[in-house]
Amino acid sequence: MQELLRTNDPTLIALVTALLEGEGIDCFVLDVHMSVLEGSIGVLPRRIMVARDQLHLARRMLADHEIEWSPDP
């Protein structure tokens, strides 16, 4: 799996996850339970992961919906 997006915004995570599922792109959100370790203040970002072979399609979907993402360094 490859990282598609990293954010602290729970509404953006919900939006992107719904859009990906609507396009038939499997995704998985990592670091959901990290709030237990950080004290529930939302400092640690969550990561949306997609299959490597669907990464290009997922990035195109983000661009089509004008959702900003940072390319790999």
Side-chain angles (χ1 to χ4, degrees):
M1 299 205 81
Q2 294 285 120
E3 182 179 319
L4 173 66
L5 184 70
R6 184 183 298 227
T7 184
N8 292 11
D9 185 348
T11 56
L12 181 59
I13 292 169
L15 172 65
V16 171
T17 301
L19 291 171
L20 290 169
E21 290 173 356
E23 293 289 327
I25 300 171
D26 294 325
C27 65
F28 186 78
V29 181
L30 293 179
D31 306 322
V32 174
H33 301 290
M34 291 302 290
S35 63
V36 172
L37 297 175
E38 68 175 77
S40 300
I41 58 175
V43 174
L44 299 175
R46 295 178 185 164
R47 297 174 287 160
I48 299 177
M49 309 295 284
V50 297
R52 184 177 302 235
D53 61 339
Q54 294 182 318
L55 183 61
H56 181 70
L57 182 61
R59 286 182 174 168
R60 182 180 206 89
M61 187 271 315
L62 289 181
D64 289 347
H65 288 86
E66 299 179 0
I67 298 171
E68 294 184 23
W69 55 274
S70 298
D72 295 334

